[in-house]
Amino acid sequence: MASVSSQPQFRYTQPPSKVLHLRNLPWECTEEELIELGKPFGKVVNTKCNVGANRNQAFIEFADLNQAIAMISYYASSSEPAQVRGKTVYLQYSNRQEIVNNKTAADVAGNVLLVTIEGDDARLVSIDVLHLVFSAFGFVHKITTFEKTAGFQALVQFSDAETATSAKTALDSRSIPRYLLPDHVGPCTLRITYSGHTDLSVKFQSHRSRDYTNPYLPVAPSAIDGSGQISVGLDGKKLEPESNVLLASIENMQYAVTLDVLHMVFSAFGPVQKIAMFDKNGGVQALIQYPDVQTAVVAKEALEGHCIYDGGFCKLHISYSRHTDLSIKINNDRSRDYTIPNIPIVNSQPSILGQQPVQMIAPAVPQYNGTQFAPTDQAVMPQPSAGWGPTVPAVPQSLPLQMHNQPYMPPGTLLQPSQMGPGMMQSGAPPATLPPYHRGHVQ
DNA sequence: AGCACA
């Protein structure tokens, strides 16, 4: 008889199946288009698109075998071939009886997108650029990036599937705008599907993964160098990590800035626990320790770039220190531990030339040697053109200098110009009027 | 244009 025997391929002799195999589909044919195609013949219960190396094959599964037969026989005798988007598609019975695992995550709308970045320089696309691109459609909760055989990929988590879908439809197969990429980076095209994930687990902030709902997540150990110093910041660049200890350098120091002045300025944002001043690069720097990172962050944001005195004098440059707990051995005019009132205050001889050793030993840092202290702290003070010294009158000496175990004073209480003497903190808004700290998109 | 897990 006309037996099919064991003829595997290239014959119209596949035994009937509820599942039809389609080929020569337009690229990235959608499930909707497949359903549209099969609907006239019966109920499409399952589809699978983007099959095969070229992603131009698909499967349609009907509820009933007769429906599949109806479709095959219709197009077998039709003058018009089956078409999707004007392109002829070829149908035959599948050699399987049902579609397996059709709902590959990529087809199910979810709140997490799987983004493949195509292009020679795909790997150079930073997580921050991705964040920027996808944030246009809603709050991006988390992003993880990874390298797979598919190339450089990212998972981008939105609040809900609707937001994710809007981003997907707008961005799929489009290229990242050039102006968002460094000049040397070539075109990068985004291929976007849904991911099966609903909530990414981001254990650390790093250059590969980010949790924007939790900015205080610890930074990845991989981003911490040998000395325990975190070297990769939240934007993946060499930004310093936040710390409860600030490193302040003072630019254009026309007037002497004393420990007490620093204490007063920084106390406006919370209790200052310890201060250590030292000379570095011909200027003066100070480490200011708060009990917590948040306070330090607020102080840094408020004070950075501001001048202690009017006229652009004693401009503060503030960065986060690598230290978390300063070890103050002796209270003197350059270092003080405000948390321990009974440390003896050593009345040291004035050290105009800055030779007075700083009485502190910070963890993870070798003993202070005067020149190599905190070598990796970011703040490098630009040398002020004008010199400074004892010839310049120390203006702030009339300032109120209550310093021992001074309780926390809310912002503004210390820095009102009326209380501060000449021109204190006038280079812009005093901390009391600074806008509240905003940390990107928290929540 | 020819049968599927990222």
Side-chain angles (χ1 to χ4, degrees):
Chain A
M1 316 281 258
S3 160
V4 222
S5 68
S6 60
Q7 293 162 331
Q9 306 150 355
F10 308 143
R11 287 227 131 179
Y12 296 97
T13 50
Q14 296 288 352
S17 165
K18 292 184 306 198
V19 182
L20 302 184
H21 176 230
L22 321 200
R23 49 189 208 273
N24 198 221
L25 286 158
W27 219 69
E28 302 264 304
C29 170
T30 66
E31 171 173 33
E32 290 70 34
E33 288 170 314
L34 295 178
I35 294 174
E36 206 58 39
L37 193 64
K39 196 157 41 179
F41 306 96
K43 179 166 193 204
V44 177
V45 294
N46 216 344
T47 64
K48 181 165 184 61
C49 35
N50 304 325
V51 169
N54 298 326
R55 317 200 87 203
N56 59 356
Q57 301 175 46
F59 297 93
I60 296 178
E61 179 176 341
F62 284 101
D64 189 80
L65 176 63
N66 293 328
Q67 299 168 350
I69 294 175
M71 186 170 182
I72 290 290
S73 39
Y74 173 83
Y75 284 113
S77 56
S78 168
S79 54
E80 287 295 317
Q83 289 185 343
V84 171
R85 290 185 228 165
K87 196 174 180 202
T88 298
V89 302
Y90 302 91
L91 315 175
Q92 65 188 147
Y93 296 115
S94 170
N95 54 23
R96 305 209 196 169
Q97 289 307 113
E98 57 185 14
I99 291 178
V100 303
N101 206 16
N102 168 61
K103 290 304 174 202
T104 333
D107 298 322
V108 184
N111 64 317
V112 178
L113 298 177
L114 171 63
V115 181
T116 304
I117 299 107
E118 297 180 346
D120 294 340
D121 298 327
R123 253 163 265 89
L124 300 179
V125 176
S126 75
I127 200 166
D128 301 292
V129 167
L130 293 175
H131 181 237
L132 203 58
V133 167
F134 283 88
S135 291
F137 303 89
F139 174 51
V140 173
H141 287 232
K142 302 172 184 177
I143 297 181
T144 63
T145 62
F146 48 91
E147 200 99 27
K148 276 282 187 64
T149 48
F152 185 56
Q153 293 186 299
L155 291 164
V156 180
Q157 177 175 341
F158 286 99
S159 304
D160 46 64
E162 291 67 42
T163 315
T165 301
S166 68
K168 178 181 183 295
T169 49
L171 294 176
D172 190 20
S173 299
R174 318 227 21 187
S175 293
I176 298 175
R178 279 232 53 89
Y179 61 86
L180 290 179
L181 298 171
D183 289 337
H184 61 280
V185 174
C188 295
T189 304
L190 302 173
R191 301 289 176 198
I192 305 177
T193 65
Y194 295 104
S195 159
H197 294 92
T198 55
D199 190 22
L200 306 174
S201 115
V202 175
K203 301 245 182 2
F204 302 103
Q205 309 284 21
S206 76
H207 61 296
R208 323 208 76 206
S209 63
R210 215 61 67 75
D211 181 346
Y212 299 95
T213 68
N214 183 11
Y216 297 112
L217 202 64
V219 174
S222 62
I224 301 177
D225 68 21
S227 68
Q229 168 64 21
I230 302 166
S231 57
V232 177
L234 289 184
D235 62 355
K237 295 170 191 147
K238 293 280 184 173
L239 274 195
E240 64 218 344
E242 292 169 354
S243 165
N244 64 313
V245 178
L246 297 177
L247 172 69
S249 61
I250 300 159
E251 180 189 347
N252 194 17
M253 198 152 96
Q254 294 287 342
Y255 303 121
V257 172
T258 64
L259 188 80
D260 301 320
V261 169
L262 287 176
H263 182 259
M264 180 159 41
V265 168
F266 283 85
S267 289
F269 306 92
V272 170
Q273 292 183 320
K274 302 171 184 178
I275 298 180
M277 299 176 70
F278 52 93
D279 299 300
K280 178 150 186 211
N281 300 337
V284 167
Q285 297 191 355
L287 291 163
I288 298 96
Q289 176 174 338
Y290 286 106
D292 53 82
V293 174
Q294 287 85 344
T295 308
V297 168
V298 175
K300 178 178 183 290
E301 294 297 312
L303 292 174
E304 167 58 28
H306 288 272
C307 298
I308 297 179
Y309 302 116
D310 201 5
F313 299 132
C314 304
K315 188 174 185 178
L316 289 170
H317 287 289
I318 301 176
S319 61
Y320 296 109
S321 167
R322 61 193 312 185
H323 308 299
T324 56
D325 189 23
L326 307 176
S327 169
I328 308 283
K329 289 296 195 294
I330 293 178
N331 281 339
N332 61 18
D333 63 343
R334 305 210 94 194
S335 65
R336 193 147 305 167
D337 184 343
Y338 299 94
T339 66
I340 306 174
N342 46 2
I343 283 190
I345 294 185
V346 176
N347 250 343
S348 55
Q349 55 278 58
S351 58
I352 295 170
L353 298 178
Q355 302 289 30
Q356 181 79 15
V358 172
Q359 304 295 330
M360 62 160 275
I361 302 167
V365 160
Q367 177 77 40
Y368 172 65
N369 64 14
T371 56
Q372 295 184 348
F373 184 82
T376 58
D377 268 319
Q378 304 286 320
V380 176
M381 194 180 76
Q383 255 331 95
S385 50
W388 59 277
T391 55
V392 179
V395 177
Q397 274 173 3
S398 61
L399 297 178
L401 297 181
Q402 66 284 55
M403 70 202 64
H404 293 291
N405 293 318
Q406 189 174 35
Y408 168 71
M409 306 188 67
T413 52
L414 271 179
L415 290 174
Q416 296 306 324
S418 57
Q419 299 175 359
M420 292 303 284
M424 198 92 178
M425 295 303 297
Q426 301 234 320
S427 66
T433 60
L434 287 174
Y437 170 61
H438 285 305
R439 181 60 188 288
H441 330 261
V442 181
Q443 297 303 349

